[in-house]
Coordinates of all heavy atoms in Angstrom, one line a residue:
I273 N 119.6 -38.5 185.0 CA 118.8 -39.3 184.1 C 119.2 -40.8 184.5 O 120.4 -41.1 184.5 CB 119.1 -39.1 182.7 CG1 118.8 -37.6 182.3 CG2 118.4 -40.0 181.7 CD1 119.3 -37.2 181.0
F274 N 118.2 -41.6 184.7 CA 118.4 -43.0 185.0 C 118.0 -43.9 183.8 O 116.9 -43.7 183.3 CB 117.6 -43.4 186.2 CG 117.8 -44.8 186.7 CD1 119.0 -45.2 187.2 CD2 116.8 -45.8 186.5 CE1 119.2 -46.6 187.6 CE2 116.9 -47.1 186.9 CZ 118.1 -47.5 187.5
L275 N 118.9 -44.8 183.4 CA 118.6 -45.8 182.4 C 118.6 -47.2 183.0 O 119.7 -47.6 183.5 CB 119.7 -45.7 181.3 CG 119.9 -44.3 180.6 CD1 121.3 -44.2 180.0 CD2 118.8 -44.1 179.7
S276 N 117.5 -47.8 183.1 CA 117.3 -49.0 183.9 C 118.0 -50.2 183.3 O 118.4 -51.1 184.1 CB 115.9 -49.3 184.1 OG 115.3 -49.8 182.9
G277 N 118.3 -50.2 182.0 CA 118.7 -51.5 181.4 C 117.6 -52.5 181.6 O 116.4 -52.2 181.9
D278 N 117.9 -53.8 181.6 CA 116.9 -54.8 181.8 C 117.0 -55.3 183.3 O 118.0 -55.3 183.8 CB 117.1 -56.0 180.9 CG 116.5 -55.9 179.5 OD1 116.0 -54.8 179.2 OD2 116.6 -56.8 178.7
G279 N 115.8 -55.7 183.8 CA 115.9 -56.3 185.1 C 114.6 -56.3 185.9 O 113.7 -55.5 185.6
G280 N 114.5 -57.2 186.9 CA 113.4 -57.3 187.7 C 113.4 -56.2 188.8 O 114.5 -55.6 189.0
Y281 N 112.3 -56.1 189.5 CA 112.2 -55.2 190.6 C 113.1 -55.7 191.8 O 113.3 -56.8 192.0 CB 110.8 -55.1 191.1 CG 110.7 -54.1 192.3 CD1 110.7 -52.8 192.1 CD2 110.5 -54.6 193.6 CE1 110.6 -51.9 193.2 CE2 110.4 -53.8 194.7 CZ 110.5 -52.4 194.5 OH 110.4 -51.5 195.5
G282 N 113.8 -54.7 192.5 CA 114.6 -55.0 193.6 C 114.9 -53.9 194.5 O 114.5 -52.7 194.2
A283 N 115.6 -54.1 195.6 CA 116.0 -53.1 196.5 C 116.9 -52.1 196.0 O 117.1 -51.0 196.6 CB 116.5 -53.8 197.8
H284 N 117.6 -52.3 194.9 CA 118.6 -51.4 194.4 C 118.0 -50.1 194.0 O 118.7 -49.0 194.0 CB 119.3 -52.0 193.2 CG 118.5 -52.4 192.0 ND1 117.7 -53.5 192.1 CD2 118.3 -51.9 190.8 CE1 117.1 -53.7 190.9 NE2 117.4 -52.6 190.1
F285 N 116.7 -50.0 193.6 CA 116.1 -48.7 193.2 C 116.1 -47.7 194.4 O 116.4 -46.6 194.3 CB 114.7 -48.9 192.7 CG 114.6 -49.7 191.4 CD1 114.1 -51.0 191.3 CD2 115.2 -49.2 190.2 CE1 114.1 -51.7 190.1 CE2 115.1 -49.9 189.0 CZ 114.6 -51.2 189.0
K286 N 115.7 -48.2 195.6 CA 115.7 -47.4 196.7 C 117.1 -47.0 197.1 O 117.3 -45.8 197.5 CB 115.0 -48.1 197.9 CG 113.5 -48.2 197.8 CD 112.9 -48.8 199.1 CE 111.4 -48.9 199.0 NZ 110.8 -49.5 200.2
E287 N 118.0 -47.9 197.0 CA 119.4 -47.6 197.3 C 120.0 -46.5 196.4 O 120.7 -45.6 196.8 CB 120.2 -48.8 197.3 CG 121.7 -48.6 197.7 CD 122.5 -49.9 197.7 OE1 121.9 -51.0 197.7 OE2 123.7 -49.8 197.7
I288 N 119.6 -46.6 195.1 CA 120.1 -45.6 194.2 C 119.5 -44.2 194.6 O 120.3 -43.2 194.5 CB 119.6 -45.9 192.7 CG1 120.5 -47.2 192.3 CG2 119.8 -44.8 191.8 CD1 120.0 -47.8 191.0
F289 N 118.3 -44.1 194.9 CA 117.7 -42.8 195.4 C 118.4 -42.3 196.6 O 118.8 -41.1 196.8 CB 116.2 -42.9 195.7 CG 115.7 -41.8 196.5 CD1 115.6 -40.5 196.0 CD2 115.3 -42.0 197.8 CE1 115.2 -39.4 196.8 CE2 114.9 -40.9 198.6 CZ 114.8 -39.7 198.1
E290 N 118.7 -43.2 197.6 CA 119.3 -42.8 198.8 C 120.7 -42.3 198.6 O 121.2 -41.4 199.4 CB 119.3 -44.0 199.8 CG 118.0 -44.4 200.3 CD 118.0 -45.7 201.1 OE1 119.1 -46.4 201.1 OE2 116.9 -46.1 201.6
H291 N 121.4 -42.8 197.6 CA 122.7 -42.3 197.3 C 122.7 -41.0 196.4 O 123.6 -40.1 196.6 CB 123.5 -43.4 196.6 CG 125.0 -43.1 196.5 ND1 125.9 -43.4 197.5 CD2 125.7 -42.5 195.5 CE1 127.1 -43.0 197.1 NE2 127.0 -42.5 195.9
F292 N 121.8 -41.0 195.4 CA 121.9 -39.9 194.4 C 120.8 -38.8 194.6 O 120.9 -37.8 194.0 CB 121.8 -40.5 193.0 CG 123.0 -41.3 192.6 CD1 122.9 -42.7 192.7 CD2 124.2 -40.8 192.2 CE1 124.0 -43.5 192.4 CE2 125.3 -41.6 191.9 CZ 125.2 -42.9 192.0
G293 N 119.8 -39.1 195.3 CA 118.7 -38.2 195.4 C 117.7 -38.3 194.3 O 117.7 -39.2 193.5
I294 N 116.8 -37.3 194.1 CA 115.8 -37.3 193.2 C 116.3 -37.4 191.7 O 117.3 -36.8 191.4 CB 114.9 -36.0 193.3 CG1 114.2 -36.0 194.7 CG2 113.9 -35.8 192.2 CD1 113.5 -34.7 195.0
I295 N 115.6 -38.2 190.9 CA 115.9 -38.4 189.5 C 115.0 -37.5 188.7 O 113.8 -37.5 188.9 CB 115.7 -39.9 189.1 CG1 116.5 -40.8 190.1 CG2 116.1 -40.1 187.7 CD1 118.0 -40.6 190.0
D296 N 115.6 -36.8 187.7 CA 114.8 -36.0 186.8 C 114.0 -36.8 185.8 O 112.8 -36.5 185.5 CB 115.7 -35.0 186.1 CG 116.2 -33.9 187.1 OD1 115.5 -32.9 187.3 OD2 117.3 -34.1 187.6
M297 N 114.6 -37.8 185.2 CA 113.9 -38.6 184.3 C 114.4 -40.0 184.3 O 115.7 -40.2 184.4 CB 114.0 -38.1 182.8 CG 113.3 -39.0 181.8 SD 113.2 -38.3 180.2 CE 112.0 -37.0 180.4
A298 N 113.5 -41.0 184.3 CA 113.9 -42.4 184.4 C 113.4 -43.1 183.1 O 112.2 -43.1 182.9 CB 113.4 -43.1 185.6
F299 N 114.3 -43.7 182.4 CA 113.9 -44.6 181.3 C 113.9 -46.0 181.9 O 114.9 -46.6 182.2 CB 114.9 -44.5 180.1 CG 114.9 -43.2 179.5 CD1 115.8 -42.2 179.9 CD2 114.0 -42.9 178.4 CE1 115.8 -40.9 179.2 CE2 114.1 -41.7 177.8 CZ 114.9 -40.7 178.2
M300 N 112.6 -46.6 182.0 CA 112.5 -47.8 182.7 C 112.0 -49.0 181.8 O 111.0 -48.8 181.1 CB 111.5 -47.6 183.9 CG 111.9 -46.6 184.8 SD 113.3 -47.0 185.9 CE 112.6 -48.3 186.8
E301 N 112.6 -50.2 182.0 CA 112.1 -51.3 181.3 C 110.7 -51.6 181.6 O 110.3 -51.7 182.8 CB 113.0 -52.5 181.6 CG 112.6 -53.8 181.0 CD 112.7 -55.0 181.9 OE1 111.8 -55.4 182.6 OE2 113.8 -55.7 181.8
N302 N 109.8 -51.8 180.6 CA 108.4 -52.1 180.8 C 108.0 -52.9 179.6 O 107.5 -52.4 178.6 CB 107.6 -50.8 180.9 CG 106.1 -51.1 181.0 OD1 105.7 -51.9 181.9 ND2 105.3 -50.6 180.1
G303 N 108.1 -54.2 179.7 CA 107.7 -55.1 178.6 C 108.5 -56.4 178.6 O 109.6 -56.4 179.1
Q304 N 108.0 -57.4 177.8 CA 108.7 -58.7 177.7 C 108.7 -59.4 179.1 O 109.7 -60.1 179.4 CB 110.1 -58.6 177.1 CG 110.3 -57.5 176.1 CD 109.2 -57.5 175.0 OE1 108.7 -58.6 174.6 NE2 108.8 -56.3 174.5
Y305 N 107.7 -59.2 179.9 CA 107.6 -59.8 181.2 C 106.8 -61.1 181.1 O 106.1 -61.4 180.2 CB 106.9 -58.9 182.2 CG 105.7 -58.2 181.7 CD1 104.5 -59.0 181.7 CD2 105.7 -56.9 181.2 CE1 103.3 -58.4 181.2 CE2 104.5 -56.3 180.8 CZ 103.3 -57.1 180.7 OH 102.2 -56.5 180.2
N306 N 107.0 -62.0 182.1 CA 106.3 -63.2 182.2 C 106.5 -63.7 183.6 O 107.5 -63.5 184.2 CB 106.8 -64.2 181.2 CG 106.0 -65.5 181.1 OD1 106.2 -66.4 182.0 ND2 105.1 -65.7 180.2
A307 N 105.5 -64.5 184.1 CA 105.6 -65.0 185.5 C 106.8 -65.9 185.6 O 107.4 -66.0 186.7 CB 104.3 -65.8 185.9
G308 N 107.2 -66.6 184.6 CA 108.3 -67.6 184.6 C 109.6 -66.9 184.8 O 110.5 -67.6 185.3
W309 N 109.7 -65.7 184.4 CA 111.0 -64.9 184.6 C 110.8 -63.6 185.2 O 111.3 -62.6 184.9 CB 111.8 -64.8 183.3 CG 111.2 -64.2 182.1 CD1 111.2 -62.8 181.8 CD2 110.5 -64.8 181.0 NE1 110.5 -62.6 180.6 CE2 110.1 -63.8 180.1 CE3 110.2 -66.1 180.7 CZ2 109.5 -64.1 178.9 CZ3 109.5 -66.4 179.5 CH2 109.2 -65.4 178.7
A310 N 109.9 -63.6 186.2 CA 109.5 -62.4 186.9 C 110.6 -61.7 187.7 O 110.5 -60.5 187.9 CB 108.3 -62.7 187.9
Q311 N 111.7 -62.4 188.0 CA 112.7 -61.8 188.8 C 113.8 -61.1 187.9 O 114.7 -60.4 188.4 CB 113.4 -62.8 189.7 CG 112.5 -63.3 190.8 CD 113.2 -64.2 191.7 OE1 114.1 -65.0 191.3 NE2 112.9 -64.2 193.0
I312 N 113.7 -61.3 186.6 CA 114.7 -60.7 185.7 C 114.1 -59.7 184.7 O 114.8 -59.1 183.9 CB 115.5 -61.8 184.9 CG1 114.6 -62.7 184.1 CG2 116.4 -62.6 185.9 CD1 115.3 -63.7 183.2
H313 N 112.7 -59.6 184.7 CA 112.0 -58.5 184.0 C 110.9 -58.0 184.9 O 110.5 -58.7 185.8 CB 111.4 -59.0 182.7 CG 112.4 -59.3 181.6 ND1 113.1 -58.2 181.0 CD2 112.9 -60.4 181.1 CE1 113.9 -58.8 180.1 NE2 113.8 -60.1 180.1
S314 N 110.5 -56.7 184.7 CA 109.6 -56.1 185.6 C 108.2 -56.0 185.0 O 108.0 -55.7 183.8 CB 110.0 -54.6 185.9 OG 111.3 -54.7 186.6
F315 N 107.2 -56.3 185.8 CA 105.8 -56.1 185.4 C 105.4 -54.6 185.5 O 106.1 -53.9 186.2 CB 104.9 -56.9 186.3 CG 104.9 -58.4 186.1 CD1 105.7 -59.2 186.7 CD2 103.9 -58.9 185.2 CE1 105.7 -60.6 186.4 CE2 103.9 -60.3 184.9 CZ 104.8 -61.1 185.5
P316 N 104.4 -54.2 184.8 CA 104.0 -52.8 184.9 C 103.8 -52.2 186.3 O 104.3 -51.1 186.6 CB 102.7 -52.7 184.1 CG 102.9 -53.8 183.1 CD 103.6 -54.9 183.8
H317 N 103.2 -52.9 187.2 CA 103.0 -52.4 188.5 C 104.3 -52.2 189.2 O 104.5 -51.3 190.1 CB 102.1 -53.3 189.3 CG 102.6 -54.6 189.7 ND1 102.8 -55.6 188.8 CD2 103.1 -55.0 190.9 CE1 103.3 -56.7 189.4 NE2 103.5 -56.3 190.7
E318 N 105.3 -53.1 188.9 CA 106.7 -53.0 189.5 C 107.4 -51.8 188.9 O 108.2 -51.2 189.6 CB 107.4 -54.3 189.3 CG 106.8 -55.5 190.0 CD 107.5 -56.8 189.7 OE1 107.8 -57.0 188.5 OE2 107.8 -57.5 190.7
V319 N 107.2 -51.5 187.7 CA 107.8 -50.3 187.1 C 107.4 -49.0 187.8 O 108.2 -48.2 188.1 CB 107.5 -50.2 185.6 CG1 108.0 -49.0 185.0 CG2 108.0 -51.5 184.8
L320 N 106.1 -48.9 188.1 CA 105.6 -47.8 188.8 C 106.2 -47.7 190.2 O 106.6 -46.6 190.7 CB 104.1 -47.8 188.9 CG 103.3 -47.7 187.6 CD1 101.8 -47.8 187.8 CD2 103.7 -46.4 186.9
Q321 N 106.3 -48.9 190.9 CA 106.9 -48.9 192.2 C 108.4 -48.5 192.2 O 108.9 -47.7 193.0 CB 106.8 -50.3 192.8 CG 107.3 -50.4 194.3 CD 106.6 -49.4 195.2 OE1 105.4 -49.4 195.3 NE2 107.4 -48.5 195.9
A322 N 109.1 -49.0 191.1 CA 110.5 -48.6 191.0 C 110.6 -47.1 190.8 O 111.6 -46.4 191.3 CB 111.1 -49.4 189.8

Side-chain angles (χ1 to χ4, degrees):
I273 298 170
F274 181 71
L275 303 162
S276 73
D278 277 6
Y281 178 76
H284 58 286
F285 294 112
K286 287 184 178 179
E287 183 177 343
I288 289 170
F289 162 70
E290 290 170 357
H291 189 86
F292 294 100
I294 293 173
I295 304 297
D296 289 276
M297 179 171 286
F299 294 91
M300 301 292 292
E301 178 216 87
N302 177 57
Q304 322 315 323
Y305 48 79
N306 185 281
W309 56 87
Q311 292 185 327
I312 57 173
H313 286 291
S314 297
F315 284 90
H317 70 284
E318 294 175 317
V319 175
L320 294 179
Q321 184 59 56

